Amino acid sequence: MYETNITIITMIHLLGFQSPQSITYYLFFLFFIVYCMTICGNLLIITLVSYSKNLHSPMYIFLTQLAVSDILLATDILPNMLHVVLVKVNRMSFVHCIAQFYFFCVSETLECLLLTVMSYDRYLAICKPLHYSSIMNTHICLKMVIVTWILSASVVLIHTLTITTLQFCGPNIIDHFFCDLAPLLELSCSDTTLVQLEFNLLGSLFVEIPFLIVIISYVYIIVTILQIPSVTGRKKAFSTCSSHLAVVSMYYGSLVCVYLVPTRRQAWNISKVLSLLYTVVTPLMNPIIYSLRNKELKKAAEQMINNFNKNSFKFILKVGI
């Protein structure tokens, strides 16, 4: 009996959503459509920015990286969740579980950092317009992008390696739809104090401090906009940052909801539903929010469609001739 208790876990069972069999295929279809829309929407953002020279500015470069982050998150979570919905209990190797946790944390950390530099970009554009081009040029923008990726990948790697030093001896069942930290640590028979302290420290550095920077940036932005004498000028200035503000509110709002929910076993069902907000809903809504509220993206989409139609028409004429 003692030897059974200290058996090292090699396989993980994800319970996912314990939904009635009658709605299984409806849930699968719903999440499949969400995944397809998420990938297509974010790829559209990347394509439009790459296609239109008018969009080769720091704000849209950051936006493409946000789209890449959303694709990474959706691909890390949703395909496996689709499998869980169908089979109810999904078996995955422990290495696969740790890898899923790593890429999940990388994409979330990257999103926090990108939203922060995007808020700084909007602060410079609205509050320091005369110095914007000298401070936020393409060269600086690319450096920021590289730093955010390196920071996200390296810091999360250190944290993940710390987790792998723990001993996981069971049970090997995770009552979630992906390998998150809290349910993962429940499988450990080691002291997890160091991991939890490390998580709290990294959370402060890469979630709370960036969020504080975002808030401070928008306080200055709002004050500056209110000082603009004309109503038209205020609307125009606010329109340049409204999409980003909506994304920030949705993303951090969902994180706050999840962390406010107690992680006791009886709260897992609520926690799973709330986790959908920042793992599934946010990557889906980001391109929708930016596409609907951004005139430059709409204009680039129209130009791309018109050019495609013209080229298709010319090709048909050549083939016909």
Side-chain angles (χ1 to χ4, degrees), residues 247-259:
V247 169
V248 167
S249 302
M250 181 177 62
Y251 178 72
Y252 281 104
S254 62
L255 285 182
V256 168
C257 288
V258 170
Y259 285 113

Side-chain angles (χ1 to χ4, degrees), residues 30 64 80 88 282 300 320:
L30 173 64
T64 59
N80 190 69
K88 299 302 181 184
T282 300

Side-chain angles (χ1 to χ4, degrees), residues 49 57-68 114-115 117-121 132 136-137 140-145 148:
V49 175
S57 62
M59 182 178 74
Y60 291 105
I61 292 174
F62 291 138
L63 182 57
T64 59
Q65 299 308 303
L66 190 65
V68 172
L114 286 172
L115 290 176
V117 295
M118 288 172 78
S119 67
Y120 178 65
D121 174 77
Y132 178 79
M136 188 61 73
N137 52 50
I140 296 297
C141 172
L142 292 176
K143 279 186 176 180
M144 285 184 170
V145 167
T148 55

Side-chain angles (χ1 to χ4, degrees), residues 15 23 34 41 66 79 100 115 162 184 209 228 254 258 279 287 308:
L15 296 183
I23 65 169
V34 167
L66 190 65
Q100 186 187 53
L115 290 176
T162 305
L184 193 59
I209 292 177
I228 298 175
S254 62
V258 170
T279 57
F308 177 77

Side-chain angles (χ1 to χ4, degrees), residues 19 53 59 67 87 145 153 155 158 185 195 198 209 223 233 239 243 253 273 278 288:
S19 57
K53 292 181 180 180
M59 182 178 74
V87 302
V145 167
V155 169
I158 293 171
L185 292 183
V195 173
E198 187 178 68
I209 292 177
V223 170
S239 66
S243 298
V273 173
Y278 63 90
I288 294 175

Side-chain angles (χ1 to χ4, degrees), residues 35 58 63 90 107 118 133 176 180 190 239 285 315:
Y35 180 57
L63 182 57
N90 181 34
S107 60
M118 288 172 78
S133 58
H176 214 320
D180 202 358
S190 306
S239 66
M285 292 305 296
F315 177 76

Side-chain angles (χ1 to χ4, degrees), residues 120-121 123-137 140:
Y120 178 65
D121 174 77
Y123 161 76
L124 289 176
I126 295 174
C127 302
K128 308 285 184 182
L130 298 178
H131 303 284
Y132 178 79
S133 58
S134 60
I135 298 175
M136 188 61 73
N137 52 50
I140 296 297

